[in-house]
Amino acid sequence: MSMYQKMVNVIEQKVTPMAGAMGSQRHVIAIRDGFIAALPFMIIGSFLLVFIFPPFSPDSSWGFARSWLRFSLTYREQLMLPFNLSMGVMTFFISVGIGASLGKHYKLDPIMTGLLAFMAFLLVAAPYKDGQISTQYFSGQGIFTSLLTAIYASEMYAFLKRHNITIRLPKEVPTGVARSFEILIPVVVIVATLHPLNLFIESTTGMIIPEAIMHLLAPLVSASDSLPAILISVFICQILWFAGIHGALIVTGIMNPFWMANLSANQTALAAGNVLPHIYLQGFWDHYLLIGGVGSTLPLAFLLLRSRAIHLRTIGKMGVVPSFFNINEPILFGTPIIMNPLFFLPFTLVPMINATLAWTATKLGWVAQVVSLTPWTTPAPIGASWAANWAVSPVIMCLVCMVMSAVMYYPFLKAYERTLLKQDEERNEQESSTPVAAN
């Protein structure tokens, strides 16, 4: 048995079932849905950063730049309000999104389940002192707390409902009123469990639950921003996609909490005028590692346009425009790349090499770091600049990654092209040698 066949067997027998089970797990789906629900608010909030922190040097002599900088300083407090009510409270949207998703799964009222999850988060993450509520954990610092409390509250609601521990009203009572009374017991249980737990942890450790969680996860959060973490996550994504499984959904579902926590830290550092602490965020993943889609196939789409094989040239024409917006299914399944042994090496290695180049250049200070959340469909050079507050260096880095991708894909594409052309020649020879039946 060939090495390739052994690899395929391992993927089919071991990796595929495990990935499939993980991708369909209700909590993984709920977390993904929670981040998707919060995404529009976070994108708009991030977009406002360019107005709050103009992409110009403070000592710029350009009149337009000076005016913009002066405007942003004068109205900084007013400009920060929409940002603080979107990115600054991302945990609100995520909690409600997770609760609503689990509510649908358990056939509960999604609105009520989402609100219950939201209340559970506030119970432990909004300490009240001196007549004020602390907002410290409403942004990235409270991400992991929001995930855990939303899952706990939703599961507790489902458990009580499943065991008929609820308040039942006569059928004549309006549905909305009945649902409000139905959730009374879950609310009491959540308050009676989370609030005392929070007080107990605070009295014994001096930290409330969100602070304790971040303290425990600090090594993991730090490790998630390292080059090995980038390479491992990219490798898993590529292997799963090569087997025909949507690896990006699984990997981003796992990495999103870390990315959002790191993004919040970068934005806090930007506002304070400090050095940005993190490199590996969603903008890094989208615009350096997935240029044109998973596998960084936009350069390959351009190469396909000039292929001598009609099939490949046709796929290039079909796939090049969607690839600009990071949608590359026509390339993946039309070429095909999926389960094609000739493309296994470049498909797997191209994003990993690009990750190494981009991470090293950013670490050396040559490339600006990510401070904004961008839509994943934003074309790579534009999205890379937007994510870094419209800096120019990410555009250059993105173009370098595209050239590197083209150089790596080219020899494998030519080998595949020769195979197709040879098959076409053999087919034509067979057709020409086949005698035509007499009438």
Side-chain angles (χ1 to χ4, degrees):
M1 185 182 294
S2 67
M3 182 65 69
Y4 172 72
Q5 191 57 48
K6 289 180 181 178
M7 182 195 70
V8 170
N9 289 342
V10 170
I11 291 174
E12 289 180 343
Q13 297 172 15
K14 304 291 185 182
V15 177
T16 300
M18 183 173 62
M22 183 181 294
S24 60
Q25 208 278 332
R26 63 181 182 277
H27 298 122
V28 173
I29 293 174
I31 291 172
R32 184 190 67 205
D33 291 346
F35 280 103
I36 291 174
L39 197 59
F41 306 98
M42 293 192 290
I43 288 175
I44 296 301
S46 293
F47 185 76
L48 293 171
L49 280 178
V50 72
F51 297 102
I52 302 169
F53 304 101
F56 306 112
S57 171
D59 55 359
S60 173
S61 58
W62 186 24
F64 176 74
R66 297 297 307 166
S67 298
W68 193 345
L69 287 164
R70 190 163 48 250
F71 174 81
S72 69
L73 285 172
T74 303
Y75 298 100
R76 179 67 52 85
E77 188 174 334
Q78 291 87 340
L79 291 171
M80 284 294 291
L81 180 62
F83 173 81
N84 289 331
L85 294 179
S86 52
M87 284 296 301
V89 293
M90 66 170 77
T91 48
F92 292 6
F93 307 116
I94 292 169
S95 295
V96 174
I98 292 174
S101 178
L102 284 173
K104 289 179 182 177
H105 176 81
Y106 289 119
K107 295 181 172 53
L108 304 171
D109 185 340
I111 296 177
M112 288 298 183
T113 313
L115 291 176
L116 183 67
F118 178 44
M119 186 205 73
F121 171 72
L122 289 179
L123 269 176
V124 301
Y128 185 80
K129 185 178 292 185
D130 299 328
Q132 293 182 332
I133 293 178
S134 171
T135 61
Q136 180 180 355
Y137 299 104
F138 290 176
S139 57
Q141 290 290 308
I143 284 283
F144 297 99
T145 303
S146 70
L147 305 185
L148 294 174
T149 53
I151 290 172
Y152 169 72
S154 304
E155 289 291 342
M156 181 57 70
Y157 185 12
F159 173 83
L160 295 171
K161 177 77 172 179
R162 194 161 51 244
H163 290 81
N164 293 318
I165 306 174
T166 183
I167 296 175
R168 295 183 179 277
L169 296 179
K171 294 182 179 180
E172 293 77 17
V173 176
T175 304
V177 176
R179 285 176 179 171
S180 297
F181 276 87
E182 181 184 90
I183 205 171
L184 281 177
I185 292 179
V187 169
V188 171
V189 172
I190 295 303
V191 172
T193 52
L194 285 183
H195 188 49
L197 177 63
N198 200 30
L199 294 175
F200 173 76
I201 291 176
E202 185 177 16
S203 66
T204 54
T205 66
M207 298 181 289
I208 61 173
I209 287 178
E211 190 178 1
I213 289 174
M214 289 305 295
H215 181 74
L216 290 172
L217 293 178
L220 193 58
V221 173
S222 178
S224 72
D225 192 34
S226 63
L227 181 58
I230 300 173
L231 296 179
I232 291 170
S233 58
V234 173
F235 180 73
I236 292 173
C237 175
Q238 299 306 115
I239 289 292
L240 292 177
W241 256 114
F242 190 77
I245 301 168
H246 203 309
L249 279 180
I250 295 173
V251 172
T252 56
I254 295 170
M255 292 304 301
N256 261 326
F258 298 98
W259 286 341
M260 292 306 162
N262 292 342
L263 177 63
S264 178
N266 274 13
Q267 291 175 342
T268 301
L270 177 67
N274 298 329
V275 176
L276 305 186
H278 299 294
I279 295 175
Y280 190 31
L281 295 98
Q282 186 167 348
F284 186 97
W285 168 273
D286 285 341
H287 306 307
Y288 296 139
L289 314 185
L290 274 66
I291 301 172
V294 65
S296 291
T297 56
L298 179 58
L300 177 61
F302 287 119
L303 294 176
L304 291 174
L305 290 174
R306 300 183 62 83
S307 174
R308 292 187 296 130
I310 297 175
H311 165 71
L312 296 180
R313 198 162 59 246
T314 303
I315 295 300
K317 292 176 181 177
M318 291 173 55
V320 69
V321 173
S323 290
F324 271 113
F325 303 96
N326 303 320
I327 300 168
N328 65 341
E329 277 78 2
I331 303 293
L332 295 180
F333 295 99
T335 304
I337 292 176
I338 303 303
M339 298 304 289
N340 186 337
L342 271 172
F343 283 105
F344 174 74
L345 279 178
F347 183 69
T348 305
L349 293 179
V350 162
M352 297 179 72
I353 292 174
N354 285 348
T356 304
L357 290 173
W359 187 88
T360 303
T362 307
K363 193 72 174 178
L364 292 172
W366 299 347
V367 177
Q369 290 160 251
V370 174
V371 293
S372 295
L373 189 65
T374 57
W376 65 270
T377 51
T378 310
I382 299 172
S385 179
W386 177 359
N389 207 22
W390 298 105
V392 176
S393 55
V395 176
I396 299 172
M397 187 69 251
C398 188
L399 295 175
V400 168
C401 289
M402 290 176 69
V403 171
M404 183 59 68
S405 302
V407 169
M408 289 196 63
Y409 272 117
Y410 183 75
F412 295 92
L413 174 61
K414 297 307 289 185
Y416 185 50
E417 182 184 85
R418 285 193 293 270
T419 301
L420 293 181
L421 291 174
K422 186 177 181 180
Q423 291 174 354
D424 289 341
E425 288 178 5
E426 292 174 353
R427 190 182 304 112
N428 292 334
E429 288 176 1
Q430 289 178 357
E431 291 177 355
S432 61
S433 61
T434 302
V436 180
N439 292 331

